[in-house]
Amino acid sequence: MKPVIVVHGGAGKIVKELDETYRLGVKRAVLKGYDVLRQGGSALTAVEEAVIVMEDEPIFNAGHGSVLNEKGYIEMDAIIMDGKNLDSGAVSAVRNIANPIKLARLVMEKTDHMLLTCEGATLFAKAQGIPETPNDTLITERSRKRWMKNLKENSNPIADQIGLG
Amino acid sequence: TVGAVAIDCEGNMACATSTGGLTNKMVGRVGDTACIGSGGYADNNVGAVSTTGHGESIMKVILARLILHYMEQGKSPEEAADAGLNYMKSRVEGTGGAIIVNSSGDWTAKFSTNQMSWAAVKDDQLHIGIYHGE
């Protein structure tokens, strides 16, 4: 079987000036994942590695660069699934970690559960030795400005962002 | 939101999706990403899907699993993605996108929004796009 990998960086609005940054981001991610596959690695590790690249790239809304909630901090969600045996792991509303996808994989591999949320996910991350990443270091200036703009406009964030990832 | 789907040399498939959610979202709001079948699904017998878009709409139609259901009925990844995204648009007025690979290694990146950044590699060939038609 010839390996194949596809990645996406979200379906939200892309500012034309950042077009190239998005292209470079998804390119780096897909090549990282493909490298894993070319060396005989599993699809599971390939998708995890690809997503980690994008979580670490501030242009994308995941990990470092995530958008802020109404209170001004980051809550992140992630899921991973293995098509071989339908195993899956997920985390939701998790805070203060850099790579939620790594935690999702640990939920899949180290627990009998499918989804850990909020404080439970944070406690599990600590128990698994995942280093705490302060919220401020995950927040980008772009995310903060967008959050403040929404606050000032007193807009309805859900209605205003229909279709955005 | 970011995501990935892949098939490896042994024919095993996987998906992964990660997100910060909606800007200024309510504390505790969880969208589609963490929900199996909505933000992603992988089954070696059919394919792997990762989705992005308006989370509440994706959850209402369980988009990733819906797309795989269409593939089980014989549709190609591209046809299944179109069918799933069209269903979401017509039933709940939601837009978004999906990346898919099937057990034959066929893949697609489709979206009903104006843009979605994506990239793919098959046969050592790199493909990248953002806008419709790329």
Side-chain angles (χ1 to χ4, degrees), chain B residues 4 13 17 56 88 96 114:
Chain B
M13 284 179 276
T17 312
E56 281 72 7
M88 187 168 79
N114 291 330

mmCIF file of all heavy atoms in Angstrom, chain B residues 4 13 17 56 88 96 114:
data_model
loop_
_atom_site.group_PDB
_atom_site.id
_atom_site.type_symbol
_atom_site.label_atom_id
_atom_site.label_comp_id
_atom_site.label_asym_id
_atom_site.label_seq_id
_atom_site.Cartn_x
_atom_site.Cartn_y
_atom_site.Cartn_z
ATOM 1 N N ALA B 4 -5.793 15.997 10.328
ATOM 2 C CA ALA B 4 -5.024 15.159 9.412
ATOM 3 C C ALA B 4 -5.690 13.791 9.285
ATOM 4 O O ALA B 4 -6.305 13.300 10.246
ATOM 5 C CB ALA B 4 -3.591 14.998 9.927
ATOM 6 N N MET B 13 -5.609 3.112 8.715
ATOM 7 C CA MET B 13 -5.975 4.521 8.592
ATOM 8 C C MET B 13 -6.179 5.152 9.963
ATOM 9 O O MET B 13 -6.484 4.462 10.944
ATOM 10 C CB MET B 13 -7.246 4.656 7.764
ATOM 11 C CG MET B 13 -7.002 4.459 6.281
ATOM 12 S SD MET B 13 -8.499 4.602 5.322
ATOM 13 C CE MET B 13 -9.117 2.954 5.510
ATOM 14 N N THR B 17 -7.779 15.564 14.928
ATOM 15 C CA THR B 17 -8.297 16.922 14.797
ATOM 16 C C THR B 17 -8.044 17.663 16.105
ATOM 17 O O THR B 17 -8.161 17.078 17.180
ATOM 18 C CB THR B 17 -9.822 16.911 14.498
ATOM 19 O OG1 THR B 17 -10.098 15.984 13.453
ATOM 20 C CG2 THR B 17 -10.316 18.285 14.087
ATOM 21 N N GLU B 56 -21.397 23.386 15.962
ATOM 22 C CA GLU B 56 -22.737 22.951 16.345
ATOM 23 C C GLU B 56 -23.452 22.304 15.149
ATOM 24 O O GLU B 56 -24.181 21.316 15.299
ATOM 25 C CB GLU B 56 -23.553 24.137 16.887
ATOM 26 C CG GLU B 56 -23.228 24.521 18.339
ATOM 27 C CD GLU B 56 -21.873 25.208 18.516
ATOM 28 O OE1 GLU B 56 -21.215 25.510 17.493
ATOM 29 O OE2 GLU B 56 -21.458 25.437 19.666
ATOM 30 N N MET B 88 -25.446 19.158 5.323
ATOM 31 C CA MET B 88 -25.292 20.067 6.475
ATOM 32 C C MET B 88 -25.778 21.468 6.120
ATOM 33 O O MET B 88 -26.403 22.142 6.939
ATOM 34 C CB MET B 88 -23.827 20.103 6.921
ATOM 35 C CG MET B 88 -23.597 20.879 8.188
ATOM 36 S SD MET B 88 -21.964 20.631 8.881
ATOM 37 C CE MET B 88 -20.970 21.706 7.863
ATOM 38 N N GLY B 96 -18.618 24.245 6.282
ATOM 39 C CA GLY B 96 -17.373 23.707 6.826
ATOM 40 C C GLY B 96 -16.581 22.990 5.758
ATOM 41 O O GLY B 96 -16.768 23.235 4.561
ATOM 42 N N ASN B 114 -15.655 29.703 2.008
ATOM 43 C CA ASN B 114 -14.911 30.327 0.906
ATOM 44 C C ASN B 114 -13.496 29.779 0.802
ATOM 45 O O ASN B 114 -12.919 29.746 -0.280
ATOM 46 C CB ASN B 114 -14.855 31.847 1.099
ATOM 47 C CG ASN B 114 -16.217 32.482 0.920
ATOM 48 O OD1 ASN B 114 -17.037 31.980 0.158
ATOM 49 N ND2 ASN B 114 -16.477 33.557 1.638
#
